[in-house]
Amino acid sequence: MANRKRNIQIKFNVTEEERNLIKQKMALLPTQRIGAYMRKMAIDGLIIYIDTSNIKEMNKELQAIGKNINQIAKRVNSVSNIYDEDITEIKERLQEVWQLQRRILLSLH
């Protein structure tokens, strides 16, 4: 243990109920190592984990919407004319963006 970065060991006892509570709290986080969890809790007092899966989903959907808008822009540039359907589609895609943003903001509360 002398060559280890963390060479001081701390031990303490818990009840079965306390151990189960620790495991339940750990299950909410992406860590599987109790030592890392306990060290972080002892030093910082709390761990904040933010689930960003909805933001990743929004980015994916925004990419698809952006591709659709780019296709419309190419079509408009090639014919030098914009159609009512193109304007309607752009407005629909923009509405989708606003809905995604609202959904994510509501999920953060």
Side-chain angles (χ1 to χ4, degrees), residues 9 13 21 49 57 59 66 84:
Q9 189 175 51
N13 297 322
L21 186 57
Y49 173 70
E57 175 191 340
N59 285 339
D84 289 337

Side-chain angles (χ1 to χ4, degrees), residues 15-99:
T15 66
E16 185 72 28
E17 183 181 324
E18 289 170 330
R19 186 177 71 171
N20 289 336
L21 186 57
I22 291 168
K23 285 183 177 183
Q24 287 174 7
K25 289 185 176 190
M26 277 183 62
L28 301 173
L29 300 167
T31 184
Q32 299 296 316
R33 295 179 12 242
I34 194 164
Y37 174 80
M38 298 304 290
R39 188 170 36 257
K40 185 74 172 160
M41 289 302 293
I43 292 170
D44 295 339
L46 71 133
I47 298 173
I48 298 173
Y49 173 70
I50 299 173
D51 181 12
T52 58
S53 60
N54 55 358
I55 295 172
K56 290 176 185 176
E57 175 191 340
M58 183 182 81
N59 285 339
K60 231 189 324 188
E61 291 187 37
L62 284 174
Q63 271 185 321
I65 291 167
K67 287 178 184 178
N68 288 344
I69 292 173
N70 282 340
Q71 289 171 352
I72 293 168
K74 285 180 186 177
R75 191 169 57 237
V76 167
N77 287 330
S78 68
V79 296
S80 299
N81 196 2
I82 189 162
Y83 300 104
D84 289 337
E85 299 87 31
D86 293 328
I87 298 289
T88 301
E89 188 173 351
I90 289 172
K91 287 179 181 179
E92 287 172 359
R93 298 295 175 245
L94 187 58
Q95 190 62 31
E96 288 177 30
V97 170
W98 291 121
Q99 287 173 359

Side-chain angles (χ1 to χ4, degrees), residues 1-9:
M1 270 178 69
N3 294 334
R4 299 178 93 170
K5 180 181 176 182
R6 293 185 177 100
N7 58 357
I8 299 170
Q9 189 175 51

Side-chain angles (χ1 to χ4, degrees), residues 95-107:
Q95 190 62 31
E96 288 177 30
V97 170
W98 291 121
Q99 287 173 359
L100 280 168
Q101 286 182 331
R102 272 188 229 112
R103 193 171 69 213
I104 287 175
L105 287 173
L106 288 173
S107 74

